[in-house]
Amino acid sequence: MIDCKSSMTSRATHRHAIESAAVRAHLQLVAWTVLPLYYVFDSLDVLTPYDALTAGQTGPHSITGSGAPYLLVPTTRCRTFDSTFGSRRLPPVVRDAA
């Protein structure tokens, strides 16, 4: 799981922005290692690099910041944390045997 620092979420447009180069690098990493990789956002929305690539649109070029190209992915195209990883299971309560 990756807490992606090359991403952000707009509350006004309800889209996640993920750096395009990061998505490409993560797709290669997944292909090479055959390990799952997930972007988890502060709202606990979850995307895979493939999801981001297929559901995202190229964002407008920005002259501020690094100027790196990025993908805009609608939050409606995301999975929820619980549907991806399952709900949290608490261990059973151990009672004193004495």
Side-chain angles (χ1 to χ4, degrees):
M1 182 178 355
I2 290 189
D3 179 12
C4 197
K5 300 302 181 204
S6 56
S7 66
M8 61 186 158
T9 304
S10 168
R11 291 186 187 351
T13 62
H14 304 286
R15 295 184 294 191
H16 298 298
I18 307 170
E19 189 176 340
S20 297
V23 172
R24 287 192 307 276
H26 295 147
L27 283 168
Q28 292 175 356
L29 180 67
V30 168
W32 180 60
T33 62
V34 194
L35 293 173
L37 188 142
Y38 300 94
Y39 303 122
V40 179
F41 298 91
D42 58 353
S43 61
L44 295 182
D45 285 344
V46 178
L47 286 170
T48 66
Y50 181 76
D51 295 336
L53 183 66
T54 57
Q57 297 177 340
T58 302
H61 181 71
S62 174
I63 56 172
T64 60
S66 68
Y70 53 92
L71 296 172
L72 298 173
V73 183
T75 57
T76 56
R77 299 296 301 265
C78 297
R79 302 174 196 167
T80 64
F81 189 90
D82 287 348
S83 71
T84 304
F85 300 108
S87 59
R88 183 175 176 198
R89 292 182 184 90
L90 298 174
V93 175
V94 179
R95 304 213 183 254
D96 292 333

